[in-house]
Amino acid sequence: AGTPYYYRTMSANTFTIQMKAEKKSETTAARLPEVVVTATKTEREITDVPANVSVITARDLKRQQLVKVEDALKNVEGIDFNTSPANGGASVPLIRGIGGSFAGSTSVVLVDGMATDSYISSVIGRGGFNFLAPQDIDRIEVVRGPASALYGPNVVGGVVNVIQKRWSGKPGAEFIAEAGSHDSRTLGAVIGMADDRIDIRLSAYDFSTDGFVAKPDPDPWGDKDAGPRSWKDRKLNLSGAVRLSNDQEIGLTVQQFRTDQDYYGGSSFRNSQKLEGDAYTLAYRKEFSDRNLLRLNYRHANLLQSWIDSPDGMGVGQRKSITDTVEAQIDLRLFEHNTLTFGASYQSADFETVSNDPFSLSTSEAESTGVFVQDEHRFGNFILVAGGRYDYIDQGGSMKNGTALNQGASQHSFNPRVGLRYHFSPATSFYASAGTAFVPASANLKYPGNPARWRDNPGLKPESSTTYEIGVNQKLSGVALRAAIYHTDYEDRISSVSVGATPWPRQYVNIGRVEVNGVELGLDGDLSGGWKPYANYAYTDSKIRENPSDPLTVGKRVQRIAPHKLNLGVVYAPNKTWDARISGRYVSERFFTDRNTPDHRAPGYFVADAKISA
């Protein structure tokens, strides 16, 4: 109502939305509301959820002509990345200034709402972005802030959900061919079909490049590149669904990626990193009367990282992670304006590390169970969301070369979350939220083995956080504004310290507290004539407040976190055929030690980017 759109019934389960005007253009200011599922695990408009949310659509990705999916996220506020120099295809998001820790990742990347790894996995990149090429992505949803109340461990800074495309419409095919500098080339193909009862989509993607200009001069350690650093990336994706009836559907997805990177130093030194992943997902959806809904999902995922390095480096070896995850969720609309959601999940995980010369094999396993409840209720202009999740983690004993390193350990955590959104008008709304999150303390940290070098610490506690946040959304004529202010206390940070006066033995202990204060501002325009300006800014004050083992770090910035990040640009898209884009990104300086020593500093930089495509 009130827009130039209308809908037309195509079949029992298919509808098309069209404009009443004959000219269908992207210049129209009226837009259908953006719907997200990640923030509450239910389909809600962005301005109805009590969180700072960003959505990157398939059209946005296409305009940017990306090679790596995560590069699109650098253009939104509050997100940066740690990228392994040994493998450009393995990136870990840093959201809201927490950074990483000895205990694991503090932000999570989901694929279609489910993880592709476990909390004990230390495979670089841990799947996530690697599974889908830009051509396979329908949208990316970014929810900033703690989400352990819905998603369990490791969701302190936020969650990124990469949602794949499904085929719609008549049978057809798409082909992609690209070529560029540094021997870069891309080949992609998609075929699919859909009707009332079934849809199938098969996608293949192949990319290769030299990637980097060879470094001709020796670094301080005397190493230099004898040749370019090559990078290859291959992906295969098969997705489909069968609608058994008008109200139930079974879906199947098979995803696979292979990423290789090589570089050569001197005449013989070679470093090779390989990442491989396979994921198989089975999903069932049943709709009942009055919008009651049941979802069941199962995913089996394998991740493999292998390397060939110099003898004084990592040598030759591999890491392998195997996870099986089952999730169930039911949404109940018990009465008008209320949705009660129950969910449960179970995950089993196995992880192993193999090193050669000399040979060693380390293995560990874990099981985790989580249950959550969430209630969403609308009181006139108020929308209240409240809930919590209980997680129980049981990590079995770890082994090395057939010898038990430890007997394992168990831990549990409950994380509540509450949020309120108030609509002053259809164009203006305000929200406030509070929530907690945690990062487990694994048995490998409590009982690391090798008593001569590592001491046990059975009392090691999980890392935990509490976040308070307020924000506002405002829609003007063709412009959407958003702003958020947050405060996070990140406690019981885990680090390793020396036991005694000598460097060894060492022990993992809870010694640190980090305090993060941040501001996020965003503007997205959709003006007449096809002009789409955007600008966003994030200020992140992430500092160490307690660290008894190293007083010199107290009051210093957390390493790898840039305090200032600014994005701005404009897209001109007068029609669906061609568009032009110019954008810029500024990131301030970062330190690579918690003591913030000047010689371990990366200066600030600005990147400008311009594209014209047809």
Side-chain angles (χ1 to χ4, degrees), residues 4-290:
Y5 294 93
Y6 70 98
Y7 78 92
R8 181 162 56 93
T9 303
M10 303 294 291
S11 63
N13 295 289
T14 307
F15 303 86
T16 181
I17 296 175
Q18 296 180 332
M19 292 181 61
K20 296 174 184 176
E22 291 185 3
K23 184 179 179 181
K24 301 177 182 67
S25 154
E26 293 196 356
T27 63
T28 306
R31 296 289 175 185
L32 295 176
E34 284 188 303
V35 175
V36 296
V37 297
T38 310
T40 60
K41 281 199 172 185
T42 57
E43 294 182 354
R44 291 292 180 269
E45 295 180 21
I46 285 182
T47 54
D48 281 350
V49 299
N52 193 6
V53 179
S54 294
V55 176
I56 303 171
T57 66
R59 185 61 177 163
D60 296 330
L61 295 173
K62 189 174 182 179
R63 288 191 180 113
Q64 297 183 52
Q65 299 292 328
L66 298 174
V67 173
K68 296 173 63 178
V69 172
E70 54 265 38
D71 285 344
L73 293 169
K74 296 178 181 179
N75 293 323
V76 300
E77 65 269 27
I79 304 180
D80 213 337
F81 287 87
N82 262 344
T83 301
S84 167
N87 198 314
S91 297
V92 178
L94 303 177
I95 304 179
R96 286 195 165 178
I98 297 298
S101 76
F102 280 99
S105 173
T106 56
S107 300
V108 169
V109 179
L110 308 175
V111 177
D112 288 331
M114 296 183 69
T116 58
D117 64 348
S118 69
Y119 86 96
I120 63 171
S121 170
S122 59
V123 174
I124 292 179
R126 302 177 68 182
F129 297 113
N130 302 84
F131 276 103
L132 295 174
Q135 68 185 32
D136 297 322
I137 296 175
D138 179 68
R139 68 187 188 277
I140 303 174
E141 298 180 358
V142 181
V143 181
R144 303 168 187 85
S148 286
L150 288 177
Y151 295 100
N154 301 94
V155 199
V156 177
V159 59
V160 178
N161 189 10
V162 185
I163 300 171
Q164 67 173 342
K165 286 182 178 178
R166 291 177 60 172
W167 193 272
S168 61
K170 299 178 180 180
E174 301 172 2
F175 298 97
I176 299 170
E178 299 175 355
S181 61
H182 305 301
D183 292 330
S184 299
R185 62 149 182 84
T186 302
L187 295 174
V190 182
I191 60 173
M193 61 84 62
D195 60 24
D196 287 353
R197 292 300 180 188
I198 189 171
D199 63 81
I200 300 175
R201 187 179 188 276
L202 175 63
S203 169
Y205 174 86
D206 187 280
F207 171 81
S208 65
T209 182
D210 285 345
F212 299 85
V213 177
K215 184 176 61 178
D217 301 319
D219 61 21
W221 298 273
D223 294 329
K224 65 178 182 179
D225 293 345
R229 304 186 178 195
S230 64
W231 176 29
K232 298 179 181 179
D233 190 22
R234 297 172 298 280
K235 303 182 192 298
L236 183 67
N237 186 290
L238 172 64
S239 61
V242 177
R243 283 165 286 283
L244 304 177
S245 62
N246 292 340
D247 57 6
Q248 59 181 330
E249 176 183 272
I250 294 179
L252 174 66
T253 302
V254 178
Q255 297 163 330
Q256 182 184 88
F257 74 86
R258 302 289 185 266
T259 303
D260 305 334
Q261 182 165 317
D262 294 282
Y263 73 88
Y264 297 84
S267 59
S268 59
F269 169 60
R270 175 188 180 191
N271 183 296
S272 173
Q273 287 268 353
K274 297 180 183 293
L275 289 177
E276 301 179 8
D278 299 276
Y280 309 90
T281 307
L282 186 64
Y284 174 76
R285 177 187 175 105
K286 169 68 174 176
E287 298 177 9
F288 300 93
S289 60
D290 200 17

Side-chain angles (χ1 to χ4, degrees), residues 471-486:
V472 63
N473 291 70
Q474 172 73 50
K475 287 185 178 180
L476 304 174
S477 178
V479 177
L481 303 172
R482 61 185 177 273
I485 302 174
Y486 66 90

Side-chain angles (χ1 to χ4, degrees), residues 484-607:
I485 302 174
Y486 66 90
H487 169 83
T488 298
D489 281 314
Y490 188 59
E491 299 181 343
D492 295 322
R493 196 181 188 202
I494 295 174
S495 186
S496 65
V497 300
S498 299
V499 180
T502 60
W504 298 96
R506 300 181 70 83
Q507 185 183 52
Y508 291 107
V509 297
N510 298 105
I511 59 167
R513 184 175 74 87
V514 172
E515 181 182 283
V516 187
N517 295 294
V519 177
E520 297 163 344
L521 305 172
L523 176 153
D524 293 303
D526 194 354
L527 307 179
S528 61
W531 292 97
K532 303 174 187 297
Y534 75 91
N536 59 72
Y537 168 75
Y539 170 70
T540 308
D541 181 26
S542 182
K543 291 184 179 178
I544 299 171
R545 295 306 183 189
E546 295 178 9
N547 188 355
S549 69
D550 190 354
L552 295 179
T553 67
V554 176
K556 301 297 178 63
R557 284 157 37 186
V558 173
Q559 59 177 286
R560 301 182 183 274
I561 302 299
H564 303 280
K565 189 167 176 283
L566 172 68
N567 295 290
L568 70 167
V570 62
V571 175
Y572 177 57
N575 51 54
K576 293 184 178 180
T577 302
W578 76 278
D579 56 65
R581 175 190 179 95
I582 183 168
S583 60
R585 180 174 73 250
Y586 169 73
V587 178
S588 63
E589 68 173 8
R590 291 174 290 180
F591 290 98
F592 295 98
T593 67
D594 284 340
R595 289 188 177 183
N596 295 178
T597 51
D599 55 336
H600 291 87
R601 179 184 67 92
Y605 64 89
F606 182 83
V607 175

Side-chain angles (χ1 to χ4, degrees), residues 319-378:
R319 298 187 181 106
K320 186 176 183 180
S321 172
I322 302 175
T323 58
D324 288 278
T325 306
V326 179
E327 294 184 351
Q329 178 179 326
I330 185 167
D331 301 334
L332 300 176
R333 191 181 184 193
L334 302 178
F335 50 91
E336 191 177 7
H337 305 310
N338 181 271
T339 301
L340 186 63
T341 301
F342 296 95
S345 66
Y346 169 80
Q347 183 182 81
S348 65
D350 294 283
F351 179 73
E352 70 175 31
T353 300
V354 179
S355 299
N356 295 322
D357 195 25
F359 174 82
S360 68
L361 171 64
S362 300
T363 62
S364 59
E365 60 184 24
E367 293 183 345
S368 59
T369 303
V371 292
F372 73 88
V373 61
Q374 175 183 263
D375 186 62
E376 302 175 58
H377 194 86
R378 185 184 294 267

